[in-house]
Amino acid sequence: MELCFNQALKEWSVAVSALTQGDTILLLRKGGIREHQRTFQVEQDRVWLYPTYEHQKPHLLKAPYAEQVEPVSSGWHPETVAIAAWAEITHIFQVTEEPTVTALLPFHIWNEQFVTERLKWKPSQPLYVLLLRVHQLANPRHISYRAEYGGCRSWIDLHEPISIQDTTPVLSETTYHQQVEAIQQILESPLLNTPA
């Protein structure tokens, strides 16, 4: 097994914290403006979780998570970024029907308004549901911000690889697979996946 890698997935800091604390295993993505080929694609199945701050919107989060967000000005970024965890992307689903995404509300940190807005943005493209098995570093690795980490894109390569040796799973294998199973039942339900 590879012990070091530098690929990272950019995500709201509040979402990275929720994943690292075991509050959720689920991300909803349509990608950034600067995505390769202008569509969201999962480029790696093992990634460091890179927290971002600029585009976090409290009004699109459930109350406990909205309270954690401090709005920042456009273009702001920290001088150093704390990398606290990596994730194995174990499952990828594409969803187009709003009832299906709404049924997933108990499993993630966003609210109904977020779900509606995500589906309406680039409506011809599906919403991607990613399930992540997260592993936490014993001590977060603080890295310097670099210009190439900026921009509206999902995937970046960190300047230096980080070792996964001193990490532990956030959730037990049993707990993780129980959550995966519950989410899969929703995503595979014919009643929720029939176009209106």
Side-chain angles (χ1 to χ4, degrees):
M1 184 178 186
E2 185 181 16
L3 295 179
C4 293
F5 58 90
N6 68 339
Q7 295 80 18
L9 171 63
K10 294 173 64 176
E11 183 54 84
W12 290 4
S13 176
V14 65
V16 170
S17 293
L19 287 163
T20 306
Q21 292 164 11
D23 292 350
T24 185
I25 65 168
L26 188 154
L27 290 180
L28 298 171
R29 297 300 294 255
K30 265 201 179 175
I33 296 168
R34 297 183 185 174
E35 297 295 357
H36 180 62
Q37 298 181 348
R38 297 188 176 273
T39 59
F40 181 77
Q41 297 175 355
V42 176
E43 299 182 359
Q44 306 288 339
D45 61 3
R46 264 184 305 180
V47 291
W48 291 102
L49 298 175
Y50 182 99
T52 63
Y53 302 87
E54 183 181 358
H55 299 295
Q56 295 188 115
K57 297 178 181 177
H59 70 280
L60 298 180
L61 293 159
K62 294 173 185 172
Y65 301 100
E67 294 165 4
Q68 298 176 30
V69 174
E70 293 184 23
V72 299
S73 58
S74 179
W76 183 90
H77 56 77
E79 290 184 9
T80 60
V81 179
I83 304 296
W86 68 277
E88 179 186 0
I89 301 173
T90 63
H91 297 74
I92 305 165
F93 304 94
Q94 295 183 21
V95 181
T96 57
E97 303 305 319
E98 189 162 355
T100 307
V101 188
T102 300
L104 292 171
L105 277 169
F107 295 95
H108 58 74
I109 68 172
W110 294 281
N111 60 25
E112 291 186 32
Q113 184 177 347
F114 177 91
V115 168
T116 301
E117 288 189 12
R118 286 289 89 185
L119 286 170
K120 286 182 178 177
W121 186 64
K122 295 185 179 181
S124 62
Q125 295 182 14
L127 187 63
Y128 284 78
V129 177
L130 308 182
L131 304 187
L132 294 85
R133 180 97 195 272
V134 177
H135 303 253
Q136 187 172 15
L137 278 166
N139 297 295
R141 176 82 175 269
H142 294 270
I143 64 172
S144 296
Y145 176 82
R146 299 171 68 90
E148 59 262 35
Y149 299 163
C152 295
R153 51 188 168 164
S154 300
W155 311 98
I156 58 173
D157 290 333
L158 303 178
H159 184 59
E160 294 181 3
I162 300 174
S163 171
I164 66 173
Q165 212 160 13
D166 195 18
T167 59
T168 53
V170 170
L171 299 175
S172 70
E173 190 170 353
T174 299
T175 300
Y176 182 75
H177 287 298
Q178 285 173 345
Q179 292 191 32
V180 168
E181 199 171 303
I183 291 166
Q184 281 181 311
Q185 286 180 357
I186 291 169
L187 292 169
E188 293 168 1
S189 169
L191 295 175
L192 293 172
N193 291 286
T194 304

